[in-house]
Amino acid sequence: MILTLKSDTTPQQLQELTDYLTNHRIQHTSIERSHLVVLPKNNAADLAEHFSCIESATHTTQPFPLASLEWKQQTHVAVGEHVIGSDDFSVIAGPCSVENEEQIYAVAEYLHSRGVPYIRGGAYKPRTSPYSFRGLGKKGLILLHQAAKTYNLKVVTEIMDLRLLDELMEYADVLQVGSRNMQNFYMLNELGKLNKPVLLKRGMQAKAKEWLLAAEYLLTGGNQHVVLCERGIRSFDSDMRNVMDIGVIPFVKQLSHLPIIADPSHGTGSSSRVTAMAMAAAAAGSDGLMVEIHPTPNLALSDKQQALSFEEFDALLERLNALLPAVHKKAPTQSGVFKLQTL
Ligand code: PEP
Ligand code: MN
């Protein structure tokens, strides 16, 4: 149950309410900056009659009340002048890792020419082996930021650790929480205190409802700017890097108001399958895509098997232009389609 408090509720009134709940052993959480008190169970039905500071009580049945559709119809996450989760189909693209100035400027220039508003790129990379390329660190972050600024793009990049928060707050527009950190509850708690958009990737072993509970951590901190990203889950099939769970897109839409996008690059692990799964995700109702691209995929320092070339990405955008009207979405450009030289 979610209690909405009147906007003029005093700290004392809130204290009286929470004291009452504590004394009656009713679990509750006050949401920062929101005038909300969440009760994970609907066990205080007549509360509003006893506390005049309560404006309304919304009954919820899901274990993630704030993320649930019972609470809200649709969240729109604003990133500057762009919105994720609206009729716009949000495309985020860029290399797995920022490698050097030439590479990231080439990607930024290309994305700008196509009307793609977001650039991605890891500066701090989670790598399975410590001997793999682990990113340029702060230098990469600054390069990404400068390239994005030059071409009027928004930056999406991963936060690996809270010690990097100050840097990322300065240089990123959207903080990506990677698959390996989806259940880093301490980190989620801290990111929940921010006003910065968070892209929460699905843990590679996470059930959909565990993922929504991770989102709930961000929401209970008062950060409402949460976007989910399906990136494939582990399975028994060793031929697949991950298994892209397209079915989770409509499933999440049945449960939650949070926007959900799809990452077919990590979801398939192979550039030969990225376009098919990108189209499938869009058709299934995804609010956008995150795709790895590279000026010279075979030379990429990380995830080269799954990076699309600019030509391949052009072909994907062209197919998206044809599909989006059928799913009532449009590219976030003036014309509503991605700009292609061939058009
Ligand atoms: C990435 O987007 O580069 C990445 C590391 O993704 P994931 O956390 O989904 O593995
Ligand atoms: Mn990658």
Side-chain angles (χ1 to χ4, degrees):
M1 184 157 78
I2 301 174
L3 303 175
T4 305
L5 306 185
K6 292 179 182 159
S7 56
D8 59 1
T9 300
T10 62
Q12 195 197 336
Q13 282 175 309
L14 177 61
Q15 190 63 49
E16 283 168 14
L17 173 61
T18 55
D19 284 350
Y20 174 91
L21 294 170
T22 305
N23 293 338
H24 287 75
R25 297 174 183 240
I26 298 172
Q27 246 180 303
H28 60 278
T29 302
S30 299
I31 309 304
E32 294 296 321
R33 301 170 276 161
S34 308
H35 284 99
L36 299 176
V37 178
V38 177
L39 281 49
K41 295 185 187 132
N42 287 312
N43 53 357
D46 57 353
L47 216 54
E49 289 164 26
H50 297 106
F51 290 91
S52 60
C53 63
I54 298 176
E55 189 162 276
S56 60
T58 306
H59 287 253
T60 52
T61 57
Q62 296 294 348
F64 34 82
L66 291 170
S68 89
L69 214 47
E70 296 164 317
W71 168 236
K72 221 171 161 183
Q73 278 309 302
Q74 175 70 61
T75 281
H76 296 161
V77 174
V79 185
E81 68 275 29
H82 305 293
V83 176
I84 306 179
S86 66
D87 298 338
D88 280 354
F89 189 78
S90 305
V91 175
I92 303 166
C96 179
S97 309
V98 180
E99 297 171 2
N100 55 57
E101 183 171 340
E102 192 189 348
Q103 173 231 27
I104 203 65
Y105 272 77
V107 171
E109 182 188 18
Y110 165 72
L111 292 175
H112 174 74
S113 74
R114 299 309 192 244
V116 172
Y118 302 92
I119 186 167
R120 62 146 288 146
Y124 296 92
K125 294 298 302 176
R127 301 307 303 276
T128 303
S129 163
Y131 302 112
S132 301
F133 176 64
R134 292 197 268 166
L136 297 179
K138 187 168 183 180
K139 187 175 156 219
L141 199 54
I142 293 173
L143 282 176
L144 179 63
H145 173 77
Q146 287 171 340
K149 235 172 120 186
T150 306
Y151 290 101
N152 194 25
L153 304 169
K154 300 294 173 203
V155 168
V156 182
T157 195
E158 178 165 351
I159 174 154
M160 289 253 291
D161 189 283
L162 283 171
R163 282 170 289 189
L164 301 167
L165 185 59
D166 289 346
E167 265 178 45
L168 285 152
M169 285 299 282
E170 186 173 350
Y171 297 116
D173 298 293
V174 178
L175 303 179
Q176 174 177 326
V177 174
S179 188
R180 292 153 190 82
N181 268 317
M182 187 207 84
Q183 285 189 317
N184 183 340
F185 298 121
Y186 183 76
M187 181 190 276
L188 296 175
N189 221 31
E190 293 302 307
L191 300 182
K193 295 176 184 166
L194 310 173
N195 267 325
K196 195 78 142 177
V198 176
L199 181 72
L200 180 64
K201 294 192 103 180
R202 181 181 184 178
M204 61 186 83
Q205 332 263 24
K207 295 182 183 184
K209 289 186 176 176
E210 291 167 341
W211 186 19
L212 289 166
L213 281 164
E216 192 79 5
Y217 267 85
L218 296 165
L219 298 171
T220 54
N223 188 347
Q224 304 188 23
H225 315 286
V226 178
V227 180
L228 302 168
C229 180
E230 160 62 24
R231 48 79 72 207
I233 47 178
R234 282 278 169 92
S235 92
F236 50 83
D237 192 339
S238 54
D239 283 327
M240 309 285 173
R241 179 175 185 185
N242 291 294
V243 172
M244 177 107 177
D245 184 3
I246 297 288
V248 85
I249 297 168
F251 185 65
V252 162
K253 292 272 175 204
Q254 285 166 352
L255 293 176
S256 178
H257 54 83
L258 295 174
I260 176 169
I261 68 165
D263 167 358
S265 305
H266 295 87
T268 62
S270 168
S271 58
S272 64
R273 296 191 290 271
V274 167
T275 302
M277 295 312 270
M279 297 296 284
S286 174
D287 293 300
L289 290 172
M290 177 146 97
V291 179
E292 287 187 346
I293 64 170
H294 196 284
T296 47
N298 56 337
L299 299 179
L301 295 181
S302 57
D303 283 352
K304 67 178 181 182
Q305 310 86 331
Q306 67 194 37
L308 296 188
S309 65
F310 293 171
E311 292 72 25
E312 288 167 329
F313 192 65
D314 268 356
L316 167 53
L317 293 180
E318 191 169 3
R319 292 179 67 180
L320 277 177
N321 279 343
L323 174 68
L324 292 182
V327 291
H328 309 292
K329 298 267 192 192
K330 55 186 173 40
T333 58
Q334 288 242 303
S335 58
V337 291
F338 294 104
K339 295 179 262 173
L340 290 168
Q341 284 165 341
T342 50
L343 282 183

